[in-house]
Amino acid sequence: MTETRTETFPSGIVGVGLGSVTREIPVSEPPPWPPNADLTWIGRPVPRLNGRSKVTGATRYTVDVRLPGMLYARLLRSPLPCAELRRLDTTEAAARPEVRAILPLAKPGDRLRYAGQPVAAVAALSLSDAAEALAAMDVEFRPLPFVVDMDEARAPGAPAVHDAASAPAGHPSGFPAAPGLPLEGNVRGPAVVRRGDPAAGLAGADVVVEGEYRTQVHTHACLEPHAIVADWRADGLTVYISTQFTAGVRQELATAFGLPLSRVRVVVDGMGGGFGAKSQLGLYGRAAVQLSRAVGAPVYLAFDRTEEQVDAGNRPGTVQRLRLGAMRDGTLSALAIESFGTAGVTVGAGIGFFAERLYSCANFETRQHDVFVNAGPGCAMRGPGNTPGAFAVEQAVDALAERLGIDPLVLRDRIDPSPVRREERRIGAERIGWSGRHRPGAETGPVKRGIGMAQSLWMSNVQTNVACEVRILRDGSVEALSSVQDIGTGVGTVMAQVVAEVLGLRPQDITIRIGDTEFPPGGPSYGSRTTASITPPLRTAATRVLAQLAREAGRMLNAAPDEIEASAGRLQVRTDPTRFLAFRDAAALLRTDRVSAVESRLDDYGGFRRRMPDAAMALEDLGGVQFAAVAVDTETGVIRVERVVAVHDCGRPMNQLLLESQVQGGVLMGISYALLERRIMDRRTGLMVNADLEHYKLAGIHDTPEIETVILENLQGNSATDAYGIAEPANIATAPAIANAVYNAIGVRLTSLPMTPDTVLAALARTGRS
Amino acid sequence: MATPTKTAITVTVNGRPRHLELEARTTLAEVLRDGLGLTGTKIACDRGACAACTVWLNGRPVCSCMMLAIDADGQAVTTIEGLAQGEALHPVQEAFIEHDALQCGFCTPGMVMSSAALLERDPHPDAGAVRDALAGHYCRCGTYPHVVAAVLAAAERKS
Amino acid sequence: MNRFAYARPGTLAEAAAETGLVSEAMVALSEGAVLMAGGIDLLDLLKSELVTPSLVVSLRGVPGLDAIAQDAAGNLAIGAMATLASVAEHALVRASYPALAQALAGAASPELRNVATLGGNLLQRPHCWYFRSPAHHCLRKGGGHCFAIRGESQYHAIFDNQACAIVHPSTPATALVALGADVELHDAEGAARRLPLEDFFVRPGDDLQCENALRPREVLTAVHLPRLAEGTRMAHLRQGEKTGFDWPLADVAVVLVHDPDGTCHEASVVLGAAAPVPRRARAAEQVLKGRRIDAMVAADAARAALQGATPLSRNDYKLALFEALVRRAILAAAG
Ligand code: SF4
Ligand code: FES
Ligand code: FES
């Protein structure tokens, strides 16, 4: 049994209703933090500490790594959506003087299931040498029947993408989860979640709204492509990789190559965007390591933009049929959804847990199916499952509100049990000017304005397999170390704030060393879990290492170590701050060059809701509400988002500035998803026709509305920092908020994404409102 | 087909004349990154669609991925590494840090170069002019609101 | 990119002489020499290896090709090597040809406009995604059929789209045709000819593999804008899916000449992104001529502009979009 003590934590929303909660916590844990207003660095808008190296171009991204003797690799990819590899003769390519190694990734007889699937890899002296070697390969494909469209793939007689043996079963990330689901044709599923009796709930409803919603395939489009430099040496393997999870990639490498973990090192400094697509080593990563092993030289392998668009993951497309039943007062009597989604040749195209957990509804059912098509595999992307799920549910709830003649906010007050989101709705409504909202389509004139809102739901994930080290060196300098990676969130700066807060120093006094598995294991940067995972053990480690310094200072100041506190660059006696030592002078008393503490944590103070092997779920209800104001030009079909108000919670906000950036990023990706982006597959050739950044359109600076961000300080006394993530919640509500605003503007519901001029004009024409 | 040999060119890069031997097909972005080790200039699309690779050619921002290096012979190129004066950052760089106009930072060098060029040309831009100047840049992390704020603040500071 | 040799001649004649096929627009699948202006489009084609020349001839060494000058009669000559930015920023262009300045300001991105030239812009090859995809050997590249007509045609032509459904990629061209611009062409012997830009562009029905009338060993050297009649007014409008940097879904240039009493007596209405070449909407022009322009007239003309359109399966939204844009452009010009 761990020894515990009782502590009282502030609990509730600061400024709204702050109470307290009593927790039994391990004695090793630091005392409760007060609200941010009483802290020095936590919550402040501290500019990111690696900003200077980013604005000067000094940050080294994986694509910038240049090692002596480094070779360049490229992949040969299948040009066809479905083909049998008939011949792969690399003799001539291998004979070229610039070529150092060739690695087949498929063998004759293999079926290649999507255009862009890797077939072979080559390492050569330069990128163009590698490209020329690919062209010199003698390769023959036998075209096979294929299907790239989800609706066509569901039809009887559609070419089968997989057979029983090749079809992937369950998805480790679980959307939908269950293994062992039936496979029929190209359809795997359904994965069923049910409670109560949805049929009875619908039958007994006063009002039923039904709808079919469609979401497109959305690519991650990270600006830095997938990239790796593998350096295999006799004494071990070092891999530089653009990754969201250094420690995870290290484990994958050790397993794949039979190496002890101690001989594998994974490093990432600059990381140019992941959004879920860079969580694993991947086939390309393994290929680079194999090539490096084969030639005994470092090997560089990076995707070009086309490869990035076709084979770097994507957010699966969905079609969701939804039935929502309610009583006159708005009480939900049933929610039933049947969904089909496609993650290309793999599974994982579900709609998450948004419908399941957001609203109170006794009778509930989702039936989720994966549909295989001959296209590149999908993977997790910013709020996976819940983002397409929210697009349907939040529009249906608005449609229900209209049928019931209830304001959408009032309806949500009735059916959403979360007190936090209730407060968020109140704040957002005030800021967007909800009370001035007109009825749908009320404006005259060709350009019609409207206001809409939608909610977000995510979970507070925590990686439990996380540790941090804090060191105080004898010259007074301080280091914080973890293998955690900064994928753009600025986690290093948050770490410095935590350590500075504990040690009474400034964030810029803390040297942050991250992105390297030589340091204690940091968690993955996915699932909005990094801050929640890393900051509590970091604070504990800083507290522990401070205690070591306090022992030395206490001796000097004639005080017991627990009477010493750290504040404003000093160690002082709590009861008599005139007795102090400068931090540096205290450090000079150390008897060794440095003192250090490595800490991890076992559990949330209130207990995790759910535990997985290396991870846990702290809360099921990380929220956020977004409001959008749009202008729809009914003659051109162009939608402009003019304003977004995003009200979010993430436990204790750690850094106002960085959080605002995350929220803006989530909103912008949401706008881009709502209005612009779509993977376009040519049905006849099975190829993606916009595998670029020219016709695959991202929101640019002119598509950016005014974005107002409000972040609540929602304390719960769950950990040493009480901090949770925000990156995914910030993305989930945006598209449905825009869709609801468009409905308010034009009185026509747009049920498919993206809402481009063609779809807007078609919808207007159908309803005769153009 | 005859394989043409390499060509010698001289480009003034960040104020220093650099003599380069290269194949005609080498782009300016490639020679900066691989020939001169100036990897601050990023390549994200390699097709002119994202402006991550922006450098100054004779003081004007251009996409270095869409230009043959050989066409820069005899001209002056400024890259992100050449923008700061020693330790002193350009006001745009300072403002980008202060306003958190960067997340992953991959688009940032290009954004900074175009923003700084704008202020050379138009010391007092309004938000619309900033957006116009940055219309060619993609940022997947969504830094645009902070970028606009940063450039306006830098203009303020410069004057 | 394949390996190629590079030359930067000092005179036009040398440049023309070195190249068998001479414009950027003429280079598809050529193995010979190609001429390069700003190089934006050529680099895109080179990177996809849609063009694999043995020699690239840069025009950057030829002095004077980027000049912008007005002659005594008030006509404006714009050198083919003038960058889009320099033309857009030119005081005379802004003052006298605002529709061109507007079209230029919406073309490509600021960074590209600093390099891309007006000549190169007019000679861009199509941006049809099948054309740009090395995997699709379409009709225009000598293949058997057009992939767009029964395929993904959302950004394709709504007129003249029976054989090949490209839209002309140049937005400035829409304005230039409306303004009655000429192009000047020089050959290796020094002979020059001029022809209206409108006639310079070639329809798929006349030649499926080439988008303009340049002859072998001929170089586009300048664009000439006529001095405008008293009472001329104009507008250029574009609409993309994105607000900034994006290909237009539709763009429209309108140039009107009004009598002192306010009657329109000359009208030129040109649709971009509608057809394989910038499309004069003559029916719309007829509606406008002799009328005082108001909202009704503009609406009639806009409807007329879309007469005869043959949208494909994915682009019938362009009809409504163009109609709105034509009407607005007419009213903006008349305004
Ligand atoms: S529209 Fe023209 S260029 Fe495009 S696929 Fe058809 S023939 Fe080829
Ligand atoms: S990398 Fe040059 S514009 Fe995208
Ligand atoms: S900061 Fe990541 S792409 Fe702009």
Side-chain angles (χ1 to χ4, degrees):
Chain A
M1 266 321 284
T2 21
E3 226 186 305
T4 62
R5 67 175 197 273
T6 307
E7 289 277 13
T8 303
F9 288 79
S11 171
I13 303 173
V14 175
V16 175
L18 195 63
S20 65
V21 58
T22 304
R23 305 271 194 213
E24 281 292 304
I25 67 168
V27 288
S28 56
E29 296 274 319
W33 262 342
N36 284 351
D38 295 323
L39 293 173
T40 308
W41 297 109
I42 300 303
R44 299 286 167 277
V46 177
R48 62 183 78 212
L49 299 174
N50 55 1
R52 187 183 176 98
S53 96
K54 286 188 176 175
V55 300
T56 53
T59 299
R60 190 176 62 161
Y61 295 78
T62 304
V63 291
D64 303 329
V65 172
R66 302 284 182 273
L67 301 180
M70 188 171 88
L71 301 174
Y72 292 82
R74 299 237 359 123
L75 297 175
L76 179 73
R77 293 177 179 275
S78 170
L80 297 170
C82 192
E84 181 198 317
L85 181 62
R86 295 292 287 274
R87 188 173 62 250
L88 175 61
D89 180 351
T90 58
T91 328
E92 198 195 318
R96 297 171 77 92
E98 305 83 8
V99 171
R100 288 293 177 271
I102 289 177
L103 174 72
L105 298 168
K107 54 185 189 315
D110 282 357
R111 177 182 282 245
L112 301 162
R113 291 190 167 80
Y114 62 96
Q117 186 171 342
V119 174
V122 60
L125 293 182
S126 74
L127 273 179
S128 45
D129 293 334
E132 281 159 20
L134 295 186
M137 289 185 188
D138 180 9
V139 51
E140 188 190 326
F141 302 94
R142 184 169 70 95
L144 296 172
F146 63 89
V147 59
V148 294
D149 178 81
M150 182 168 67
D151 295 342
E152 287 173 10
R154 282 169 61 190
V161 175
H162 281 293
D163 54 35
S166 73
H171 195 272
S173 358
F175 12 81
L181 297 174
L183 174 71
E184 207 186 310
N186 287 314
V187 180
R188 164 84 78 194
V192 181
V193 179
R194 184 186 295 123
R195 46 173 200 257
D197 184 344
L202 286 168
D206 291 333
V207 170
V208 174
V209 295
E210 298 188 35
E212 186 180 287
Y213 297 87
R214 283 179 176 263
T215 65
Q216 77 281 42
V217 175
H218 181 201
T219 67
H220 297 70
C222 310
L223 282 205
E224 183 190 30
H226 282 64
I228 181 171
V229 177
D231 190 7
W232 183 291
R233 304 199 179 195
D235 58 352
L237 168 66
T238 303
V239 159
Y240 307 82
I241 183 167
S242 185
T243 183
Q244 296 175 236
F245 193 10
T246 53
V249 169
R250 182 198 209 194
Q251 180 64 60
E252 283 186 78
L253 286 165
T255 307
F257 292 94
L259 291 169
L261 277 170
S262 58
R263 292 288 174 90
V264 182
R265 179 177 174 194
V266 176
V267 182
V268 63
D269 178 8
M271 201 287 192
F275 312 109
K278 293 180 180 167
S279 303
Q280 269 116 27
L281 173 63
L283 177 60
Y284 87 104
R286 267 198 301 282
V289 175
Q290 281 173 273
L291 288 168
S292 176
R293 180 173 63 181
V295 295
V299 170
Y300 173 104
L301 176 54
F303 285 7
D304 66 20
R305 186 50 51 184
T306 308
E307 294 176 295
E308 197 63 24
Q309 288 287 41
V310 301
D311 194 28
N314 55 65
R315 183 196 296 289
T318 67
V319 49
Q320 309 169 45
R321 200 169 351 247
L322 187 145
R323 283 174 301 161
L324 183 56
M327 310 315 289
R328 283 266 157 259
D329 67 354
T331 314
L332 300 186
S333 64
L335 174 53
I337 305 176
E338 173 146 64
S339 78
F340 294 85
T342 185
V345 295
T346 190
V347 291
I351 54 171
F353 56 90
F354 189 90
E356 185 188 333
R357 300 201 205 133
L358 181 56
Y359 296 114
S360 311
C361 182
N363 304 305
F364 172 85
E365 183 179 70
T366 48
R367 300 170 61 81
Q368 307 184 43
H369 308 76
D370 273 299
V371 183
F372 296 116
V373 302
N374 294 104
C379 70
M381 180 170 178
R382 207 169 192 164
N386 280 21
T387 299
F391 179 70
V393 172
E394 286 299 273
Q395 288 213 77
V397 169
D398 260 40
L400 175 66
E402 188 179 33
R403 281 281 295 282
L404 293 169
I406 303 178
D407 179 284
L409 293 179
V410 175
L411 177 60
R412 285 180 174 85
D413 283 348
R414 289 184 195 161
I415 61 177
D416 179 357
S418 159
V420 180
R421 264 191 306 272
R422 174 184 293 262
E423 182 59 21
E424 289 169 341
R425 284 191 298 273
R426 190 190 61 74
I427 295 170
E430 199 177 288
R431 308 249 173 146
I432 199 83
W434 187 265
S435 57
R437 181 173 181 264
H438 54 65
R439 64 185 164 70
E443 281 195 338
T444 54
V447 178
K448 299 186 195 300
R449 294 193 153 71
I451 295 176
M453 59 81 61
Q455 310 211 96
S456 184
L457 182 70
W458 196 242
M459 55 203 155
S460 310
N461 295 304
V462 172
Q463 193 79 0
T464 46
N465 174 15
V466 162
C468 293
E469 180 177 1
V470 180
R471 298 171 178 166
I472 299 175
L473 285 72
R474 214 171 1 184
D475 65 352
S477 58
V478 177
E479 293 175 298
L481 305 95
S482 164
S483 77
V484 73
Q485 49 289 315
D486 181 356
I487 63 168
T489 59
V491 65
T493 305
V494 174
M495 290 172 66
Q497 288 174 268
V498 170
V499 176
E501 187 76 42
V502 174
L503 301 185
L505 299 172
R506 301 168 305 167
Q508 61 267 42
D509 298 331
I510 316 300
T511 300
I512 297 298
R513 303 181 56 190
I514 56 176
D516 188 335
T517 55
E518 296 290 283
F519 308 139
S525 294
Y526 54 64
S528 300
R529 75 183 68 198
T530 316
T531 307
S533 306
I534 201 103
T535 58
L538 180 65
R539 182 176 170 219
T540 309
T543 308
R544 295 286 291 267
V545 78
L546 175 64
Q548 300 182 50
L549 190 63
R551 264 204 301 279
E552 306 300 332
R555 242 193 294 276
M556 194 68 155
L557 296 169
N558 289 319
D562 61 0
E563 281 179 68
I564 301 293
E565 66 175 14
S567 173
R570 296 169 162 190
L571 294 194
Q572 61 199 24
V573 179
R574 189 172 292 108
T575 48
D576 178 9
T578 59
R579 286 156 59 204
F580 71 89
L581 278 173
F583 190 90
R584 292 176 64 95
D585 297 337
L589 301 172
L590 291 172
R591 276 164 292 179
T592 53
D593 275 350
R594 71 182 191 212
V595 288
S596 145
V598 183
E599 288 293 334
S600 57
R601 70 151 157 162
L602 294 171
D603 208 338
D604 252 13
Y605 296 161
F608 288 127
R609 300 292 190 282
R610 196 143 57 85
R611 300 197 70 122
M612 282 72 85
D614 271 349
M617 193 170 64
L619 306 165
E620 299 183 16
D621 192 16
L622 196 63
V625 176
Q626 295 186 358
F627 290 74
V630 304
V632 184
D633 187 328
T634 55
E635 293 178 346
T636 62
V638 172
I639 298 170
R640 280 198 62 77
V641 182
E642 298 186 318
R643 252 185 99 206
V644 170
V645 176
V647 192
H648 284 272
D649 59 287
C650 55
R652 179 191 297 276
M654 298 300 278
N655 181 320
Q656 195 60 38
L657 188 60
L658 301 182
L659 282 166
E660 197 175 279
S661 286
Q662 284 297 300
V663 171
Q664 288 172 349
V667 168
L668 275 157
M669 196 176 270
I671 291 174
S672 210
Y673 180 55
L675 301 184
L676 294 166
E677 296 181 47
R678 57 180 153 183
R679 181 185 74 185
I680 302 175
M681 303 292 291
D682 179 73
R683 288 172 205 216
R684 288 192 177 70
T685 58
L687 304 178
M688 179 179 177
V689 290
N690 59 344
D692 52 35
L693 291 180
E694 175 186 341
H695 287 119
Y696 188 93
K697 299 174 187 184
L698 310 182
I701 201 161
H702 276 295
D703 306 296
T704 304
E706 186 191 319
I707 302 173
E708 190 178 337
T709 304
V710 181
I711 292 165
L712 302 186
E713 184 171 347
N714 181 30
L715 303 178
Q716 298 158 88
N718 283 338
S719 74
T721 59
D722 231 0
Y724 296 101
I726 204 160
E728 286 164 297
N731 182 233
I732 292 168
T734 314
I738 293 169
N740 282 334
V742 168
Y743 180 77
N744 182 242
I746 61 175
V748 179
R749 202 158 274 294
L750 296 183
T751 53
S752 77
L753 289 178
M755 298 178 270
T756 43
D758 52 344
T759 63
V760 176
L761 291 170
L764 287 165
R766 267 201 305 278
T767 56
R769 291 198 191 232
S770 187
Chain B
M1 196 176 71
T3 306
T5 49
K6 296 192 172 187
T7 310
I9 63 167
T10 302
V11 185
T12 302
V13 180
N14 298 330
R16 257 176 75 196
R18 307 294 294 254
H19 307 288
L20 297 160
E21 293 236 324
L22 40 75
E23 289 186 6
R25 62 176 170 171
T26 313
T27 66
L28 181 56
E30 286 165 350
V31 83
L32 290 171
R33 289 175 51 79
D34 294 317
L36 298 175
L38 297 171
T39 54
T41 298
K42 297 293 182 253
I43 297 175
C45 73
D46 206 26
R47 292 302 176 104
C50 75
C53 61
T54 300
V55 300
W56 294 353
L57 181 72
N58 305 322
R60 302 196 75 149
V62 303
C63 292
S64 61
C65 77
M66 292 307 269
M67 182 164 180
L68 296 180
I70 202 168
D71 269 340
D73 191 11
Q75 313 201 42
V77 170
T78 307
T79 71
I80 188 70
E81 290 88 350
L83 193 63
Q85 302 293 322
E87 282 299 289
L89 294 181
H90 188 280
V92 164
Q93 290 172 310
E94 273 176 10
F96 264 59
I97 298 172
E98 262 166 48
H99 292 263
D100 206 41
L102 58 141
Q103 291 182 37
C104 81
F106 204 76
C107 70
T108 307
M111 290 260 203
V112 167
M113 292 310 286
S114 288
S115 303
L118 168 68
L119 296 191
E120 296 296 317
R121 211 165 56 242
D122 175 3
H124 305 289
D126 60 11
V130 174
R131 284 193 205 100
D132 285 346
L134 297 173
H137 290 259
Y138 268 150
C139 173
R140 189 47 152 170
C141 300
T143 56
Y144 308 121
H146 280 169
V147 167
V148 174
V151 179
L152 293 175
E156 195 87 332
R157 178 165 331 163
K158 267 193 99 185
S159 58
Chain C
M1 279 190 251
N2 66 307
R3 291 194 175 82
F4 49 78
Y6 174 93
R8 196 191 298 136
T11 70
L12 207 52
E14 280 174 71
E18 287 205 67
T19 51
L21 291 164
V22 289
S23 75
E24 284 194 28
M26 300 284 293
V27 291
L29 310 174
S30 103
E31 303 228 316
V34 301
L35 209 56
M36 179 166 76
I40 304 291
D41 193 46
L42 184 60
L43 251 72
D44 195 65
L45 296 163
L46 286 167
K47 286 179 180 192
S48 301
E49 302 203 338
L50 290 169
V51 179
T52 52
S54 54
L55 172 67
V56 169
V57 181
S58 171
L59 281 175
R60 282 173 199 265
V62 180
L65 274 183
D66 57 355
I68 304 177
Q70 198 169 33
D71 67 17
N75 304 305
L76 190 68
I78 303 173
M81 288 293 287
T83 63
L84 299 184
S86 69
V87 182
E89 288 161 14
H90 198 274
L92 280 172
V93 172
R94 297 169 71 111
S96 306
Y97 308 96
L100 176 59
Q102 281 157 12
L104 287 162
S109 70
E111 291 78 12
L112 295 177
R113 292 198 294 272
N114 281 333
V115 175
T117 62
L118 186 59
N121 181 274
L122 296 175
L123 300 178
Q124 286 175 87
R125 302 237 50 200
H127 277 262
C128 165
W129 41 34
Y130 299 103
F131 180 81
R132 296 277 160 166
S133 151
H136 291 93
H137 190 52
C138 76
L139 207 52
R140 187 165 286 276
K141 291 185 283 190
H145 72 285
C146 167
F147 291 89
I149 288 172
R150 290 174 54 228
E152 297 300 324
S153 58
Q154 39 272 69
Y155 303 135
H156 285 78
I158 53 169
F159 289 101
D160 200 2
N161 52 9
Q162 281 71 25
C164 158
I166 58 162
V167 295
H168 199 276
S170 169
T171 322
T174 312
L176 288 168
V177 169
L179 288 164
D182 284 352
V183 286
E184 182 177 332
L185 314 170
H186 281 250
D187 70 15
E189 280 69 51
R193 62 177 178 133
R194 263 171 83 150
L195 77 172
L197 181 60
E198 193 181 345
D199 300 337
F200 177 67
F201 296 121
V202 169
R203 302 191 144 80
D206 296 325
D207 186 338
L208 250 172
Q209 286 169 32
C210 164
E211 292 88 42
N212 58 59
L214 270 178
R215 297 175 187 145
R217 299 157 71 81
E218 204 171 38
V219 183
L220 191 163
T221 56
V223 174
H224 294 273
L225 282 163
R227 178 204 171 112
L228 296 174
E230 201 63 30
T232 303
R233 48 201 65 216
M234 63 186 81
H236 177 268
L237 294 182
R238 56 179 278 130
Q239 186 63 61
E241 282 172 342
K242 286 172 59 189
T243 312
F245 187 29
D246 193 5
W247 296 103
L249 300 171
D251 75 292
V252 178
V254 173
V255 179
L256 306 172
V257 183
H258 282 193
D259 286 336
D261 70 353
T263 317
C264 170
H265 82 254
E266 281 294 342
S268 152
V269 178
V270 181
L271 315 187
V277 303
R279 180 181 170 86
R280 282 289 290 270
R282 295 192 193 277
E285 294 169 2
Q286 286 313 320
V287 172
L288 298 175
K289 280 186 205 166
R291 307 278 287 276
R292 295 175 75 93
I293 291 171
D294 59 14
M296 291 282 278
V297 173
D300 284 348
R303 264 190 301 278
L306 275 298
Q307 268 166 26
T310 52
L312 302 167
S313 63
R314 296 236 195 278
N315 68 9
D316 60 351
Y317 72 95
K318 280 193 173 192
L319 300 181
L321 178 55
F322 265 108
E323 203 179 308
L325 228 54
V326 172
R327 180 164 40 76
R328 292 177 188 183
I330 291 169
L331 291 173

